[in-house]
Structures are given as structure tokens and as C-alpha cells.
Amino acid sequence: MTETESIAYDVVVLGAGPVGENVADRTRAAGLSTAVVESELVGGECSYWACMPSKALLRPVIARADARRVPGLGHLVQGPLDTAAVLAHRDYETSGWKDDGQVRWLDGIGADLYRGRGRLDGPSTVTVTGPDGVRHVLTARHAVAVCTGTRALLPDLPALADVKPWTSREATSAKAAPGRLIVVGGGVVAVEMATAWQALGSRVTLLVRGKGLLPRMEPFAGELVADALGEAGVDLRTGTSVTSVTRENGTVVAVTDSGDRIEADEILFATGRAPQTDDIGLDTIGLEPGSWLSVDDTLRVQDSDWLYAVGDVNHRALLTHQGKYQARIAGAAIAARAAGVPLLETDPWGAHAATADHDAVPQVVFTDPEAAAVGLSLAEAEQAGHRVRAVDVEFSSVAGAGLYADGYRGRARMIVDLDEEILRGVTFVGPGVGELIHSATIAVAGQVPINRLWHAVPSYPTISEVWLRLLEAYRG
């Protein structure tokens, strides 16, 4: 017979990925008792199947590309990568898909971990059936935070499950490089995995339904990345949709809308994400299972005084670092409300408002070249009704870029709000620009006036001198 155990906490967190961990960290720091529920590995998608393993695969690819562009060094790094060593390091970075260290961290902050699938069971209540058969009924005095993230969204193709396609999980945890790999999609996962596996020995065909890559960034970002992928040997086909996929004697056969038949050993669909809310009991509180959860800027679900949705599940910004930011905001809001604070700081950029979700979301795409952006693109700024001007410069105008790499190719753009004289967005594309984007994030989030940025002197000769070139181009 299944035993039932009931216990009350101040806060119950559904999901122990980076977002759930950060909510728990903030609520425990505020002195609130906190339970965390996890059905898989503590550390979540980012630690085991997304950010960490993908960047472990990509780092040697990018380092080799950088080295090949350095005079006196390039001829020494022309050979293939040691794929086995790269995969072994990937395994190290994922802790061999074991979560002992993450569990110790949760123990260290004083949060209680419940393993098993957690489901809402009416207001402020979560039930969990653990592997020992004990059914735990957890009630929350102040808040339940849903931090269950997303899952890969596969297209509706006949018998696709029989093909056993890769999603991002299989792409980042594969034990060997497939000889031939089809990648379907044009977003971040698609271009990063095409970059990684082409360099690790696969022959990659990249099929993109749209006109180009990275459609959520400035057009030139996708164009420069597409050029580089082509030079690396990727067979890139835009304006192409997959109409059927089969696996015949172990070989994947994809047929496109133009009638092309493409054979491969594996096929990766990087075609979007769906919220992991289909089986968490939303129906018990009047919400639609499988839906995104709409929240206010304190991350509290609309029309609720106890339910929070933090991270990818609210569809505001599907990025680990942005979810962790939301978790810090949500934790502060939960703690303030629990303490009876009568008025939260919910004005833009206040302590209890996730304003950056709207105005200053940074992202780095770890391809060669890297693409990094923060804030609004030109199209987004114009659509939002801002009177703006785009200012573009080539990195070739910067002495530090030439020192960084022979034949450095890249472009920078800043979007200037002409009425407020601040930056609405910045995009960099080029080798090494991932480490440059935080300066832009500070400028955008801090709403630093252009006339003050003029006094932020970049060190010579660094790539950061692109800031001076942008400001000179704007001021004339």
C-alpha cells in the first residue's frame, strides 16, 4: 500500500534546473522553508543536455578556428580534432550525467529535495510519488514556483517516432560522430550543432525552412554564420521543408518539398520548444495543460496570488541566464510578499520587476564566427514605435581585430533611440565577440546616454575599440 506523507513548506519549487535552483537559493536566503521537486537530474536541461555539453563540444571547434587565423600558429592546427577527447571532456562537464554535486549544493542551502514527478493538486498543493512509493503531499504557505522548462518540439510527420530522430538531447549527448547528419532548423540549436558535428567529423546537411539563419537576430548575423558554415563544408539549403522521413536498413531518408532525397545516419530536428506543463496538474487549478504560463513582471501567474512560473515555461526569454535572472526577481518578490511588504518595487528596473526580459535580453550563439546581441534589433525597435537609427561598422576598422585574427571578418551594429539618446540594442558578429557582449548589456540595461558613452574609453589595441568606431560613426 502506498503511504502518504503531508508536510507544509513556505515555498514549493517544481523543477530543479538552474531556474528552480536559483528560486530555492533566494527563498532560502530569505529564511523561507523550501521544497524542490525533480523527476530527472538535479541541474536540469542546461547542465546535462543543453548549455554545458553543447559548449564543451563547441569550444575546441572555435579555439581551432581562432588558432588557424593566427600567423605563425595556423599551420600547426590544420589536422582534425581529437573527437574522442572532445567527447570525453563533454562527459566530464556533464559530470557523467550524475547529479551528486548538484544535490549536495541543494542540501547546503537547506532546501529539501523530493524525487519524482510533481503535480499540482489544487491551490498551493503539490503531490509527489517518490521512487520508494511514498506519496508526498506538499502544501505551500506562500508560493509554488513552476520551473519545469521546455521540451523539444517535433514536427507532425508520419511515423516520425519510428525513425528515432535526434532532438537537442541526443545531439549533445551522442557517443560518436555520425558519418552523415541532417540538421533541420535555422535557429541557435541548429547552427551550433551543425558547427560542432561538422568539425567533429560528420558530413552535415542543414535544411532551413526560412530564407536564412538566426531569424531573431539582425539579418547580417545569419548571413555571416551561413557563409562560415558553407566554408566549413556544411551543405546549407534554405527555403527547404522536410515532407517525410523514414529509416531504411538503418539509414535515414529525408524527402524535401522540392523532391530531393537526402540520406544520412542521423537526423536532428531543432524546430522549436514546447512548455513542460502537460502533466503538472494545471487542470486542477483551472489552467490548460500544455500551455505557456503568462506572468506579470514579478513572475507571478496572472490572476493568482500564490503561483509563479519562472524560466522558459513562461515564454518570455528562453535562455538559461535569463531564467536565472527571473528566478532572482521571483525569489525577491516571494520573500517580500511573505514578509508582508505592502508595496513591491515593480516599476521598470525595480527590485521586483524582470524588466530586462523586455528591454535587455543578451544572447551568444557559439558558432564561428560568434553572434551576440542584446536588446532590440532594428526591426523590433521600429515595430515597438521607437524613432531609431542603426549604426554599422566593420570590425576590420579596429586594430585589435586584426591582431586577434588574420583576416578578421565581422560587423557591429548599435540601435540608437534618437529621442532619448540611449541604445535600444547592440549586435556583434565575429570571432570572440561573446566576451564583448556584456559591455553592450550594461549600456542597454543601464540606459547609458550616448554622450556619457563617449567618455567610456576603450583600451587600445583591443576588439572593444569597436565601441569608439560605432560612436564616431554616429556622431560624424
Side-chain angles (χ1 to χ4, degrees), residues 186-272:
V188 176
V189 173
V191 297
E192 287 191 346
M193 289 299 93
T195 298
W197 289 112
Q198 177 72 29
L200 290 169
S202 299
R203 194 161 71 249
V204 175
T205 302
L206 180 57
L207 306 179
V208 184
R209 184 172 59 182
K211 295 185 296 183
L213 303 178
L214 302 175
R216 296 189 178 183
M217 301 183 87
E218 299 284 9
F220 66 82
E223 291 165 6
L224 288 168
V225 170
D227 289 346
L229 284 171
E231 291 172 6
V234 171
D235 180 3
L236 171 58
R237 307 184 192 186
T238 58
T240 302
S241 294
V242 175
T243 56
S244 70
V245 183
T246 56
R247 192 180 285 271
E248 304 171 7
N249 298 318
T251 297
V252 172
V253 179
V255 178
T256 71
D257 53 356
S258 62
D260 288 341
R261 175 186 168 98
I262 306 168
E263 295 186 356
D265 299 288
E266 302 291 350
I267 185 168
L268 162 63
F269 283 95
T271 48

Coordinates of all heavy atoms in Angstrom, one line a residue, residues 186-272:
G186 N 16.8 26.5 -38.4 CA 17.8 27.6 -38.7 C 18.1 28.4 -37.5 O 18.7 29.5 -37.6
G187 N 17.7 28.0 -36.3 CA 17.9 28.7 -35.1 C 19.2 28.4 -34.4 O 20.1 27.7 -35.0
V188 N 19.3 28.7 -33.1 CA 20.5 28.6 -32.4 C 21.0 27.1 -32.3 O 22.1 26.8 -32.5 CB 20.4 29.2 -31.0 CG1 21.7 29.0 -30.2 CG2 20.1 30.7 -31.1
V189 N 20.1 26.3 -31.8 CA 20.5 24.8 -31.7 C 20.9 24.3 -33.0 O 21.9 23.6 -33.1 CB 19.3 24.0 -31.1 CG1 19.6 22.5 -31.1 CG2 18.9 24.5 -29.7
A190 N 20.2 24.6 -34.1 CA 20.6 24.1 -35.4 C 22.0 24.5 -35.8 O 22.8 23.7 -36.3 CB 19.5 24.5 -36.4
V191 N 22.3 25.8 -35.7 CA 23.6 26.3 -36.3 C 24.7 25.8 -35.3 O 25.8 25.5 -35.8 CB 23.6 27.8 -36.5 CG1 22.5 28.2 -37.5 CG2 23.3 28.6 -35.2
E192 N 24.5 25.8 -34.0 CA 25.5 25.4 -33.1 C 25.8 23.9 -33.3 O 27.0 23.5 -33.4 CB 25.1 25.6 -31.7 CG 25.2 27.1 -31.3 CD 25.1 27.3 -29.8 OE1 24.7 26.4 -29.0 OE2 25.4 28.5 -29.4
M193 N 24.8 23.0 -33.4 CA 25.1 21.6 -33.6 C 25.6 21.3 -35.0 O 26.5 20.4 -35.2 CB 23.8 20.8 -33.4 CG 23.4 20.8 -31.9 SD 24.7 20.0 -30.8 CE 25.6 21.5 -30.2
A194 N 25.2 22.1 -36.0 CA 25.8 21.9 -37.3 C 27.3 22.3 -37.3 O 28.2 21.6 -37.8 CB 25.1 22.8 -38.4
T195 N 27.6 23.3 -36.6 CA 29.0 23.8 -36.4 C 29.8 22.7 -35.7 O 30.9 22.3 -36.1 CB 29.1 25.1 -35.6 OG1 28.4 26.1 -36.3 CG2 30.5 25.5 -35.3
A196 N 29.3 22.2 -34.6 CA 30.0 21.2 -33.8 C 30.3 19.9 -34.5 O 31.4 19.4 -34.6 CB 29.3 20.9 -32.5
W197 N 29.2 19.3 -35.0 CA 29.4 17.9 -35.6 C 30.1 17.9 -37.0 O 30.8 17.0 -37.3 CB 28.0 17.3 -35.7 CG 27.5 16.9 -34.3 CD1 26.5 17.4 -33.7 CD2 28.1 15.9 -33.4 NE1 26.3 16.8 -32.4 CE2 27.4 15.9 -32.3 CE3 29.2 15.1 -33.5 CZ2 27.7 15.1 -31.2 CZ3 29.5 14.2 -32.5 CH2 28.8 14.3 -31.3
Q198 N 30.0 19.0 -37.7 CA 30.8 19.1 -38.9 C 32.3 19.1 -38.6 O 33.1 18.4 -39.2 CB 30.4 20.4 -39.7 CG 31.3 20.7 -41.0 CD 30.9 19.7 -42.1 OE1 29.7 19.3 -42.2 NE2 31.8 19.4 -43.0
A199 N 32.6 19.8 -37.6 CA 34.0 19.9 -37.2 C 34.5 18.6 -36.5 O 35.7 18.3 -36.6 CB 34.3 21.1 -36.2
L200 N 33.6 17.9 -35.9 CA 33.9 16.6 -35.2 C 33.9 15.4 -36.2 O 34.1 14.3 -35.8 CB 33.0 16.4 -34.1 CG 33.2 17.3 -32.9 CD1 32.1 17.2 -31.9 CD2 34.6 17.1 -32.2
G201 N 33.7 15.6 -37.5 CA 33.8 14.6 -38.5 C 32.6 14.2 -39.2 O 32.6 13.3 -40.1
S202 N 31.4 14.8 -38.9 CA 30.2 14.4 -39.6 C 30.1 15.2 -40.9 O 30.6 16.4 -41.0 CB 29.0 14.7 -38.8 OG 29.0 13.9 -37.6
R203 N 29.4 14.7 -41.9 CA 29.1 15.4 -43.1 C 27.7 15.9 -42.9 O 26.7 15.2 -42.9 CB 29.2 14.5 -44.3 CG 29.2 15.3 -45.6 CD 29.8 14.5 -46.8 NE 28.9 13.5 -47.2 CZ 29.1 12.2 -47.1 NH1 30.2 11.8 -46.5 NH2 28.3 11.2 -47.5
V204 N 27.5 17.3 -42.7 CA 26.3 17.8 -42.3 C 25.5 18.5 -43.4 O 26.1 19.3 -44.2 CB 26.5 18.9 -41.1 CG1 25.2 19.6 -40.8 CG2 27.1 18.2 -39.9
T205 N 24.2 18.2 -43.5 CA 23.3 18.9 -44.4 C 22.3 19.7 -43.5 O 21.7 19.1 -42.6 CB 22.5 17.9 -45.3 OG1 23.4 17.1 -46.0 CG2 21.6 18.7 -46.2
L206 N 22.3 21.0 -43.7 CA 21.4 21.8 -42.9 C 20.2 22.3 -43.7 O 20.4 23.0 -44.7 CB 22.2 23.0 -42.4 CG 21.5 24.1 -41.5 CD1 20.9 23.4 -40.2 CD2 22.5 25.2 -41.1
L207 N 19.0 21.9 -43.3 CA 17.8 22.3 -44.0 C 17.0 23.3 -43.3 O 16.6 23.1 -42.1 CB 16.9 21.0 -44.2 CG 17.6 19.8 -44.8 CD1 16.7 18.6 -44.9 CD2 18.2 20.1 -46.2
V208 N 16.8 24.4 -43.9 CA 16.2 25.6 -43.3 C 14.9 26.0 -44.0 O 15.0 26.2 -45.2 CB 17.2 26.8 -43.2 CG1 16.6 28.0 -42.5 CG2 18.5 26.4 -42.6
R209 N 13.8 26.0 -43.3 CA 12.6 26.3 -44.0 C 12.5 27.8 -44.4 O 12.0 28.1 -45.5 CB 11.4 26.0 -43.0 CG 10.0 26.3 -43.7 CD 8.9 25.8 -42.8 NE 9.0 26.5 -41.5 CZ 8.1 26.2 -40.5 NH1 7.2 25.2 -40.6 NH2 8.2 26.9 -39.4
G210 N 13.1 28.7 -43.7 CA 13.0 30.1 -44.0 C 14.1 30.5 -45.0 O 14.8 29.7 -45.6
K211 N 14.3 31.9 -45.1 CA 15.2 32.4 -46.0 C 16.7 32.4 -45.5 O 17.6 32.5 -46.3 CB 14.8 33.9 -46.4 CG 13.5 34.0 -47.1 CD 13.2 35.4 -47.5 CE 13.0 36.3 -46.3 NZ 12.7 37.7 -46.7
G212 N 16.8 32.3 -44.2 CA 18.2 32.4 -43.7 C 18.3 31.9 -42.3 O 17.3 31.4 -41.7
L213 N 19.4 32.0 -41.7 CA 19.7 31.5 -40.3 C 19.5 32.6 -39.3 O 19.5 33.8 -39.6 CB 21.1 31.1 -40.2 CG 21.6 30.0 -41.2 CD1 23.1 29.7 -41.0 CD2 20.7 28.8 -41.1
L214 N 19.3 32.2 -38.0 CA 19.1 33.1 -36.9 C 18.1 34.2 -37.1 O 18.4 35.4 -37.1 CB 20.5 33.7 -36.5 CG 21.6 32.6 -36.2 CD1 22.9 33.3 -35.9 CD2 21.2 31.8 -35.0
P215 N 16.9 33.8 -37.4 CA 15.9 34.9 -37.8 C 15.6 35.9 -36.7 O 15.0 36.9 -37.1 CB 14.7 34.0 -38.2 CG 14.9 32.7 -37.4 CD 16.3 32.5 -37.4
R216 N 15.9 35.6 -35.5 CA 15.5 36.5 -34.4 C 16.6 37.6 -34.2 O 16.5 38.4 -33.4 CB 15.3 35.8 -33.1 CG 14.0 34.9 -33.2 CD 13.6 34.3 -31.9 NE 12.4 33.5 -32.1 CZ 11.8 32.9 -31.0 NH1 12.2 33.1 -29.8 NH2 10.7 32.2 -31.2
M217 N 17.7 37.5 -34.9 CA 18.8 38.4 -34.8 C 18.8 39.3 -36.1 O 18.1 39.1 -37.0 CB 20.2 37.7 -34.6 CG 20.2 36.8 -33.4 SD 21.8 36.0 -33.1 CE 22.6 37.3 -32.2
E218 N 19.7 40.3 -36.1 CA 19.9 41.1 -37.3 C 20.2 40.3 -38.5 O 20.9 39.3 -38.3 CB 21.0 42.2 -37.1 CG 20.7 43.1 -35.9 CD 19.7 44.2 -36.2 OE1 19.1 44.1 -37.3 OE2 19.6 45.2 -35.4
P219 N 19.7 40.6 -39.7 CA 19.9 39.7 -40.8 C 21.4 39.4 -41.1 O 21.7 38.3 -41.5 CB 19.3 40.5 -42.0 CG 18.2 41.3 -41.3 CD 18.8 41.7 -40.0
F220 N 22.3 40.4 -40.9 CA 23.7 40.1 -41.2 C 24.3 39.0 -40.3 O 25.3 38.4 -40.7 CB 24.5 41.4 -41.1 CG 24.7 42.0 -39.8 CD1 25.6 41.6 -38.9 CD2 23.9 43.1 -39.4 CE1 25.8 42.2 -37.6 CE2 24.0 43.7 -38.2 CZ 25.0 43.3 -37.3
A221 N 23.7 38.8 -39.1 CA 24.3 37.8 -38.3 C 24.1 36.4 -38.9 O 25.1 35.6 -39.0 CB 23.5 37.8 -36.9
G222 N 22.9 36.1 -39.4 CA 22.7 34.8 -40.1 C 23.5 34.7 -41.4 O 23.9 33.6 -41.7
E223 N 23.6 35.8 -42.0 CA 24.4 35.8 -43.3 C 25.8 35.4 -43.1 O 26.4 34.6 -43.8 CB 24.3 37.1 -44.0 CG 22.9 37.4 -44.5 CD 22.7 38.9 -44.9 OE1 23.7 39.7 -44.8 OE2 21.5 39.3 -45.2
L224 N 26.5 36.0 -42.1 CA 27.9 35.7 -41.8 C 28.1 34.3 -41.3 O 29.0 33.6 -41.7 CB 28.4 36.8 -40.8 CG 28.6 38.2 -41.4 CD1 28.9 39.2 -40.3 CD2 29.8 38.2 -42.4
V225 N 27.2 33.9 -40.4 CA 27.2 32.5 -40.0 C 27.0 31.5 -41.1 O 27.7 30.5 -41.2 CB 26.2 32.3 -38.8 CG1 26.1 30.8 -38.4 CG2 26.6 33.1 -37.6
A226 N 26.1 31.8 -42.0 CA 25.8 30.9 -43.1 C 27.0 30.8 -44.0 O 27.4 29.7 -44.5 CB 24.6 31.4 -43.9
D227 N 27.7 31.9 -44.3 CA 28.9 31.9 -45.1 C 30.0 31.0 -44.5 O 30.6 30.2 -45.2 CB 29.5 33.3 -45.3 CG 28.6 34.2 -46.1 OD1 27.7 33.7 -46.9 OD2 28.8 35.4 -46.1
A228 N 30.1 31.1 -43.2 CA 31.2 30.3 -42.5 C 30.8 28.9 -42.5 O 31.7 28.0 -42.7 CB 31.4 30.9 -41.1
L229 N 29.6 28.5 -42.3 CA 29.2 27.1 -42.3 C 29.4 26.5 -43.7 O 29.9 25.4 -43.8 CB 27.7 27.0 -41.9 CG 27.4 27.1 -40.5 CD1 25.8 27.2 -40.3 CD2 27.9 26.0 -39.6
G230 N 29.1 27.3 -44.7 CA 29.4 26.8 -46.1 C 30.9 26.6 -46.3 O 31.3 25.5 -46.9
E231 N 31.7 27.5 -45.8 CA 33.1 27.3 -46.0 C 33.7 26.1 -45.2 O 34.7 25.5 -45.6 CB 33.8 28.6 -45.5 CG 33.6 29.8 -46.4 CD 34.1 31.1 -45.9 OE1 34.8 31.0 -44.8 OE2 33.9 32.2 -46.5
A232 N 33.0 25.8 -44.1 CA 33.4 24.7 -43.3 C 33.0 23.3 -43.9 O 33.4 22.3 -43.4 CB 32.9 24.8 -41.9
G233 N 32.1 23.4 -44.9 CA 31.7 22.1 -45.6 C 30.3 21.7 -45.4 O 29.8 20.7 -45.9
V234 N 29.5 22.5 -44.6 CA 28.1 22.2 -44.4 C 27.3 22.5 -45.7 O 27.5 23.5 -46.3 CB 27.5 23.1 -43.2 CG1 26.0 22.9 -43.2 CG2 28.2 22.7 -41.9
D235 N 26.5 21.5 -46.0 CA 25.6 21.7 -47.2 C 24.3 22.4 -46.7 O 23.4 21.8 -46.1 CB 25.2 20.3 -47.8 CG 24.3 20.4 -49.0 OD1 24.0 21.5 -49.4 OD2 23.9 19.3 -49.5
L236 N 24.3 23.7 -46.9 CA 23.2 24.5 -46.4 C 22.1 24.8 -47.5 O 22.5 25.3 -48.5 CB 23.7 25.9 -45.9 CG 22.7 27.0 -45.5 CD1 21.8 26.5 -44.4 CD2 23.5 28.2 -45.1
R237 N 20.9 24.4 -47.2 CA 19.8 24.6 -48.1 C 18.7 25.4 -47.4 O 18.0 24.9 -46.5 CB 19.3 23.3 -48.6 CG 20.4 22.3 -49.1 CD 19.8 21.0 -49.7 NE 20.8 20.1 -49.9 CZ 20.6 18.9 -50.5 NH1 19.4 18.6 -51.0 NH2 21.6 18.0 -50.7
T238 N 18.4 26.6 -47.9 CA 17.4 27.4 -47.3 C 16.1 27.3 -48.2 O 16.1 26.7 -49.3 CB 17.8 28.9 -47.3 OG1 18.1 29.3 -48.6 CG2 19.0 29.1 -46.4
G239 N 15.0 27.8 -47.6 CA 13.7 27.6 -48.3 C 13.3 26.2 -48.5 O 12.7 25.9 -49.6
T240 N 13.7 25.3 -47.6 CA 13.5 23.9 -47.8 C 12.8 23.3 -46.6 O 13.1 23.5 -45.4 CB 14.9 23.2 -47.9 OG1 15.6 23.7 -49.0 CG2 14.7 21.7 -48.1
S241 N 11.7 22.6 -46.9 CA 10.9 21.9 -45.8 C 11.0 20.4 -46.0 O 11.1 19.9 -47.1 CB 9.5 22.3 -45.8 OG 9.3 23.7 -45.5
V242 N 11.0 19.7 -44.9 CA 11.0 18.2 -44.9 C 9.6 17.7 -45.0 O 8.8 18.1 -44.1 CB 11.8 17.6 -43.7 CG1 11.7 16.1 -43.7 CG2 13.2 18.1 -43.7
T243 N 9.3 16.9 -45.9 CA 7.9 16.4 -46.1 C 7.7 15.0 -45.5 O 6.6 14.6 -45.2 CB 7.4 16.4 -47.5 OG1 8.3 15.7 -48.3 CG2 7.4 17.9 -48.0
S244 N 8.8 14.2 -45.5 CA 8.7 12.9 -44.9 C 10.1 12.4 -44.5 O 11.1 12.8 -45.0 CB 8.2 11.9 -45.9 OG 9.1 11.6 -47.0
V245 N 10.1 11.5 -43.5 CA 11.4 10.9 -43.0 C 11.1 9.5 -42.7 O 10.1 9.1 -42.1 CB 11.9 11.6 -41.7 CG1 13.2 11.0 -41.3 CG2 12.0 13.1 -41.9
T246 N 12.0 8.6 -43.2 CA 11.9 7.2 -42.9 C 13.3 6.7 -42.6 O 14.3 7.4 -42.8 CB 11.4 6.4 -44.1 OG1 12.3 6.6 -45.3 CG2 10.0 6.7 -44.4
R247 N 13.4 5.5 -42.0 CA 14.7 4.9 -41.7 C 14.7 3.5 -42.4 O 13.9 2.6 -42.0 CB 15.0 4.7 -40.2 CG 16.4 4.3 -39.9 CD 16.7 4.2 -38.4 NE 16.8 5.5 -37.7 CZ 17.9 6.2 -37.6 NH1 19.0 5.7 -38.1 NH2 17.9 7.3 -36.9
E248 N 15.5 3.4 -43.4 CA 15.6 2.1 -44.2 C 16.9 1.4 -44.0 O 17.9 1.9 -44.4 CB 15.4 2.5 -45.7 CG 14.1 3.3 -45.9 CD 14.0 3.8 -47.3 OE1 14.9 3.5 -48.1 OE2 13.1 4.6 -47.6
N249 N 16.8 0.2 -43.4 CA 18.0 -0.5 -43.1 C 19.1 0.3 -42.3 O 20.3 0.2 -42.6 CB 18.6 -1.1 -44.4 CG 17.7 -2.0 -45.1 OD1 17.0 -2.8 -44.5 ND2 17.6 -1.9 -46.4
G250 N 18.6 1.1 -41.4 CA 19.5 1.9 -40.5 C 19.8 3.3 -41.1 O 20.3 4.1 -40.4
T251 N 19.5 3.5 -42.4 CA 19.8 4.8 -43.0 C 18.6 5.7 -43.0 O 17.4 5.3 -43.3 CB 20.2 4.6 -44.4 OG1 21.4 3.8 -44.5 CG2 20.4 5.9 -45.1
V252 N 18.7 6.9 -42.5 CA 17.7 7.9 -42.5 C 17.5 8.5 -43.9 O 18.5 8.8 -44.6 CB 18.0 9.1 -41.6 CG1 16.9 10.2 -41.7 CG2 18.0 8.6 -40.1
V253 N 16.3 8.5 -44.4 CA 16.0 9.1 -45.7 C 15.0 10.3 -45.5 O 13.8 10.0 -45.1 CB 15.4 8.1 -46.7 CG1 15.1 8.8 -48.0 CG2 16.4 6.9 -46.9
A254 N 15.4 11.5 -45.8 CA 14.5 12.6 -45.7 C 14.2 13.1 -47.1 O 15.1 13.2 -48.0 CB 15.2 13.8 -44.9
V255 N 12.9 13.4 -47.3 CA 12.4 13.9 -48.6 C 12.0 15.3 -48.4 O 11.2 15.6 -47.5 CB 11.3 13.0 -49.2 CG1 10.8 13.6 -50.5 CG2 11.8 11.6 -49.4
T256 N 12.4 16.2 -49.2 CA 12.1 17.6 -49.1 C 10.9 18.0 -50.0 O 10.5 17.2 -50.9 CB 13.3 18.5 -49.4 OG1 13.5 18.5 -50.8 CG2 14.5 18.1 -48.7
D257 N 10.4 19.2 -49.8 CA 9.3 19.7 -50.6 C 9.6 19.9 -52.1 O 8.7 20.0 -53.0 CB 8.7 21.0 -50.1 CG 9.7 22.1 -49.8 OD1 10.9 21.8 -50.1 OD2 9.4 23.2 -49.4
S258 N 10.9 19.9 -52.4 CA 11.3 20.0 -53.8 C 11.6 18.6 -54.4 O 12.0 18.5 -55.6 CB 12.6 20.9 -53.9 OG 13.7 20.3 -53.2
G259 N 11.4 17.6 -53.6 CA 11.5 16.2 -54.1 C 12.9 15.7 -53.9 O 13.1 14.5 -54.3
D260 N 13.8 16.4 -53.3 CA 15.2 15.9 -53.1 C 15.1 14.8 -52.0 O 14.3 14.9 -51.0 CB 16.1 17.0 -52.5 CG 16.4 18.0 -53.6 OD1 16.3 17.7 -54.8 OD2 16.8 19.1 -53.3
R261 N 15.9 13.8 -52.2 CA 16.0 12.6 -51.3 C 17.4 12.7 -50.7 O 18.4 12.6 -51.4 CB 15.8 11.3 -52.0 CG 16.0 10.1 -51.2 CD 15.9 8.9 -52.2 NE 16.3 7.6 -51.5 CZ 15.5 6.8 -51.0 NH1 14.2 7.0 -51.0 NH2 15.9 5.7 -50.4
I262 N 17.5 12.9 -49.3 CA 18.7 13.0 -48.7 C 18.9 11.9 -47.7 O 18.1 11.6 -46.8 CB 18.8 14.4 -47.9 CG1 18.5 15.5 -48.9 CG2 20.2 14.6 -47.3 CD1 18.2 16.8 -48.2
E263 N 20.1 11.2 -47.8 CA 20.3 10.1 -46.9 C 21.3 10.5 -45.8 O 22.2 11.3 -46.0 CB 20.9 8.9 -47.7 CG 19.9 8.3 -48.7 CD 20.4 7.1 -49.3 OE1 21.5 6.7 -49.1 OE2 19.6 6.4 -50.1
A264 N 21.2 9.9 -44.6 CA 22.1 10.2 -43.5 C 22.0 9.1 -42.5 O 21.2 8.2 -42.6 CB 21.7 11.6 -42.9
D265 N 22.9 9.2 -41.5 CA 22.9 8.2 -40.4 C 22.0 8.7 -39.3 O 21.4 7.8 -38.6 CB 24.4 8.0 -39.9 CG 25.3 7.5 -41.0 OD1 25.1 6.3 -41.4 OD2 26.1 8.3 -41.5
E266 N 21.9 10.0 -39.1 CA 21.0 10.5 -38.1 C 20.4 11.8 -38.6 O 20.9 12.5 -39.5 CB 21.8 10.8 -36.8 CG 22.5 9.6 -36.2 CD 21.5 8.6 -35.6 OE1 20.3 8.8 -35.5 OE2 22.0 7.5 -35.2
I267 N 19.2 12.2 -38.0 CA 18.6 13.4 -38.3 C 18.2 14.1 -37.1 O 17.7 13.5 -36.1 CB 17.4 13.2 -39.2 CG1 16.8 14.6 -39.7 CG2 16.3 12.3 -38.6 CD1 15.7 14.5 -40.8
L268 N 18.6 15.4 -37.0 CA 18.3 16.2 -35.8 C 17.3 17.2 -36.2 O 17.4 18.0 -37.1 CB 19.6 17.0 -35.3 CG 19.4 18.2 -34.4 CD1 18.8 17.8 -33.1 CD2 20.8 18.9 -34.2
F269 N 16.2 17.3 -35.4 CA 15.2 18.3 -35.6 C 15.3 19.3 -34.5 O 15.2 19.1 -33.3 CB 13.7 17.7 -35.5 CG 13.3 17.0 -36.7 CD1 13.5 15.6 -36.8 CD2 12.8 17.7 -37.8 CE1 13.1 15.0 -38.0 CE2 12.4 17.1 -39.0 CZ 12.6 15.7 -39.1
A270 N 15.7 20.5 -34.9 CA 15.9 21.7 -34.0 C 14.8 22.7 -34.4 O 15.2 23.8 -35.0 CB 17.3 22.2 -34.1
T271 N 13.6 22.4 -34.2 CA 12.5 23.1 -34.8 C 11.5 23.7 -33.7 O 10.4 24.0 -34.0 CB 11.7 22.2 -35.7 OG1 11.4 20.9 -35.0 CG2 12.4 21.8 -37.0
G272 N 12.1 24.0 -32.6 CA 11.3 24.7 -31.6 C 11.2 24.0 -30.3 O 11.6 22.9 -30.1

